[in-house]
Amino acid sequence: MQTEVLLPLIAYLLLVFGLSVYAYTRREQGNFLTEYFLGNRSMGGFVLAMTLTATYISASSFIGGPGAAYKFGLGWVLLAMIQLPAVWLSLGVLGKKFAILARRYNAVTLNDMLFARYQSRLLVWLASLSLLVAFLGAMTVQFIGGARLLETAAGIPYDTGLLIFGISIALYTAFGGFRASVLNDAMQGLVMLLGTILLLIAVIHAAGGLHSAVDKLQQIDPKLVSVHGGDDVLSLPFMASFWILVCFGVIGLPHTAVRCISYKDSKAVHRGIVLGTIVVAVLMLGMHLAGALGRAVLPDLKIPDQVIPTLMITVLPPYAAGIFLAAPMAAIMSTINAQLLQSSATIVKDLYLGIKPEQLTNERKLKRFSSRATFVLGLLVLLAAWRPPEMIIWLNLLAFGGLEAVFLWPLVLGLYWERANATGALSSMIVGAVCYTLLASIDLHIAGLHPIVPSLLLSLLAFYVGNQFGKPPRETVLKPS
């Protein structure tokens, strides 16, 4: 166990708990659900940018993505940059209209929005089930990533690291709620920026400079410095699929959408778009370039996913490695707390209060139930991660693709197509979920495309066809008072 690496990490975790306590003391009076799950919609532009970025960038971005860049070279770095518009798309497409309607409907969750728009309790139950299943898978991936990071970089056994990591996140999210989550996201975004820049500079220095690093890559395999990447993996269908999966489809992710209804005003949106895009650019370029150039420093790694943890302890002094260790930990923790809080909101607001609406006025009971639901969910995910699979990046993309196939069209068309009705939305969700599950489970790539592409196309068609048979929405739904 490496004490010099662990000390900065322990200090970081203490800071996380300190922010959670601060968030708890700053809770505003009023509706408990709106405060606990949305922070009373009070985010400014900087916090909005950082929480969207920190939520979007996860274990895959700090471990799986750089691992792919290590294996396939500089072409993968260029591919990673197509994620650049993710924040702009999320806030631009959902942004103002989504937030205005959420305030009018008094919506706390994405499913609140879907129910207010489509007036279908069946749709809410289907959406809630889809969200919980996908988020349990996605959170398990993040827990595994965090524990493996501690195992590789700090010498902590996997099971011990998982306990430390899982219980820490479950406690601070359950205790502080949304306000603690976004405050920690803001800090974690800054930690990620610092760690990424620090590591990239150290990798370039260890390789003897940028020019020397590229020369070494070319000597290993000339394809590592080509736009098509090693093994010619970067084909046009692959790149198109990747962009839809990790950029355009992000609009349909529930934990991203919720952050688009919790900001303060229009100024916060505009500032969030600019700052968020800049932060995503720095993080994506820095991490993937470090992974690609890391092959010039560590040419013989057998498992590409180990490149970032191994580089940390190779090119950085121990204390600096400890500071950098906080960066991928921050990415993982911020993604988990967003998903954990959204899952808890689904259980409390969409399912429990859907069955027992009379409990809405029992604030004391709701507080206890919300905190316990969040903590228990965290423990369940910890148990699911106890015996991990070998590869985590594909599991993460599988869960995210499923969420996009279910939520994207009901969300976007519900905002922008006045004739959209519940039958169309239900048809889209069912077809998207079934199609994606089948294609992904048998690993079928039609014309070289990832399963998310045909799934989204078929779910869009199903929405249009189903819409022809449903009742048109009431005028009061489209224009709430």
Side-chain angles (χ1 to χ4, degrees):
M1 193 175 295
Q2 301 184 36
T3 308
E4 298 94 338
V5 175
L6 278 176
L7 286 177
L9 181 63
I10 292 169
Y12 171 74
L13 288 174
L14 290 174
L15 186 56
V16 165
F17 278 110
L19 275 177
S20 298
V21 173
Y22 173 77
Y24 183 82
T25 61
R26 294 280 295 177
R27 281 185 181 176
E28 298 176 9
Q29 298 300 315
N31 187 304
F32 166 74
L33 292 176
T34 304
E35 167 60 33
Y36 186 80
F37 292 119
L38 290 181
N40 270 345
R41 310 182 203 270
S42 58
M43 276 196 296
F46 172 76
V47 176
L48 175 63
M50 296 311 258
T51 189
L52 265 174
T53 304
T55 301
Y56 173 66
I57 291 176
S58 64
S60 291
S61 305
F62 268 81
I63 297 174
Y70 177 92
K71 183 176 182 179
F72 301 118
L74 296 176
W76 193 276
V77 179
L78 291 176
L79 177 69
M81 296 311 291
I82 65 176
Q83 301 174 68
L84 193 61
V87 172
W88 175 79
L89 277 172
S90 298
L91 288 175
V93 173
L94 300 179
K96 291 183 182 178
K97 191 165 187 176
F98 196 57
I100 289 169
L101 288 175
R103 282 165 169 79
R104 289 180 184 173
Y105 296 139
N106 197 28
V108 173
T109 67
L110 175 60
N111 288 336
D112 278 347
M113 289 288 289
L114 292 175
F115 180 73
R117 176 62 179 84
Y118 295 112
Q119 299 292 296
S120 169
R121 185 55 64 184
L122 175 61
L123 186 147
V124 169
W125 279 87
L126 178 61
S128 299
L129 181 63
S130 302
L131 185 147
L132 289 172
V133 170
F135 270 3
L136 282 173
M139 287 188 290
T140 300
V141 167
Q142 304 302 321
F143 270 52
I144 293 168
R148 281 186 174 165
L149 199 61
L150 289 173
E151 182 182 35
T152 305
I156 298 175
Y158 177 85
D159 292 351
T160 306
L162 185 63
L163 281 172
I164 295 169
F165 186 73
I167 292 174
S168 297
I169 292 176
L171 276 174
Y172 93 74
T173 307
F175 183 69
F178 185 87
R179 195 176 291 274
S181 174
V182 297
L183 282 175
N184 278 303
D185 284 352
M187 179 192 70
Q188 287 159 350
L190 293 173
V191 170
M192 284 188 273
L193 281 172
L194 174 64
T196 298
I197 294 168
L198 179 67
L199 182 68
L200 181 60
I201 292 172
V203 169
I204 293 173
H205 179 265
L210 188 59
H211 191 273
S212 173
V214 174
D215 284 347
K216 288 176 183 176
L217 291 182
Q218 193 158 21
Q219 290 168 15
I220 295 169
D221 182 354
K223 289 184 178 179
L224 292 176
V225 296
S226 76
V227 293
H228 298 292
D231 300 333
D232 292 322
V233 70
L234 302 181
S235 63
L236 190 59
F238 180 87
M239 289 189 286
S241 301
F242 192 81
W243 184 80
I244 289 171
L245 183 63
V246 301
C247 188
F248 174 73
V250 171
I251 299 167
L253 293 178
H255 52 297
T256 301
V258 164
R259 272 145 175 76
C260 295
I261 66 175
S262 52
Y263 60 83
K264 186 165 50 178
D265 50 30
S266 297
K267 186 177 179 182
V269 176
H270 299 146
R271 186 173 293 174
I273 288 174
V274 174
L275 289 176
T277 303
I278 292 171
V279 173
V280 168
V282 173
L283 291 176
M284 286 298 166
L285 179 62
M287 285 310 305
H288 288 83
L289 191 56
L293 297 180
R295 191 155 180 180
V297 181
L298 305 165
D300 301 317
L301 278 182
K302 299 216 180 331
I303 303 174
D305 278 2
Q306 291 181 346
V307 61
I308 293 300
T310 309
L311 281 172
M312 280 168 43
I313 57 179
T314 302
V315 303
L316 294 173
Y319 282 106
I323 294 171
F324 178 77
L325 179 59
M329 290 292 281
I332 295 166
M333 290 172 75
S334 56
T335 300
I336 292 176
N337 65 43
Q339 294 168 353
L340 193 56
L341 210 53
Q342 187 66 19
S343 300
S344 173
T346 297
I347 291 172
V348 176
K349 184 70 170 62
D350 302 325
L351 299 179
Y352 176 70
L353 289 178
I355 298 170
K356 294 186 174 183
E358 70 276 5
Q359 295 295 331
L360 185 59
T361 56
N362 191 342
E363 184 170 308
R364 187 176 176 184
K365 188 171 183 178
L366 282 178
K367 283 181 179 179
R368 287 201 309 269
F369 189 64
S370 299
S371 295
R372 288 173 183 173
T374 305
F375 185 69
V376 170
L377 274 170
L379 293 182
L380 287 175
V381 176
L382 189 151
L383 289 174
W386 203 259
R387 291 291 173 262
E390 294 205 6
M391 285 295 292
I392 64 170
I393 185 172
W394 307 120
L395 287 175
N396 195 47
L397 293 177
L398 181 68
F400 272 29
L403 286 170
E404 292 167 7
V406 170
F407 285 100
L408 182 63
W409 298 126
L411 181 56
V412 174
L413 294 179
L415 283 177
Y416 291 99
W417 189 23
E418 290 189 354
R419 290 176 52 206
N421 60 41
T423 305
L426 273 167
S427 302
S428 175
M429 293 171 80
I430 293 169
V431 169
V434 171
C435 179
Y436 186 78
T437 302
L438 288 175
L439 291 176
S441 59
I442 62 176
D443 200 25
L444 178 61
H445 296 262
I446 300 169
L449 295 168
H450 187 276
I452 191 62
V453 180
S455 299
L456 286 179
L457 290 174
L458 286 173
S459 63
L460 178 60
L461 178 62
F463 199 122
Y464 177 78
V465 173
N467 215 72
Q468 308 308 307
F469 297 96
K471 295 179 181 178
R474 299 197 309 268
E475 189 71 18
T476 53
V477 172
L478 295 174
K479 297 179 182 178
S481 56

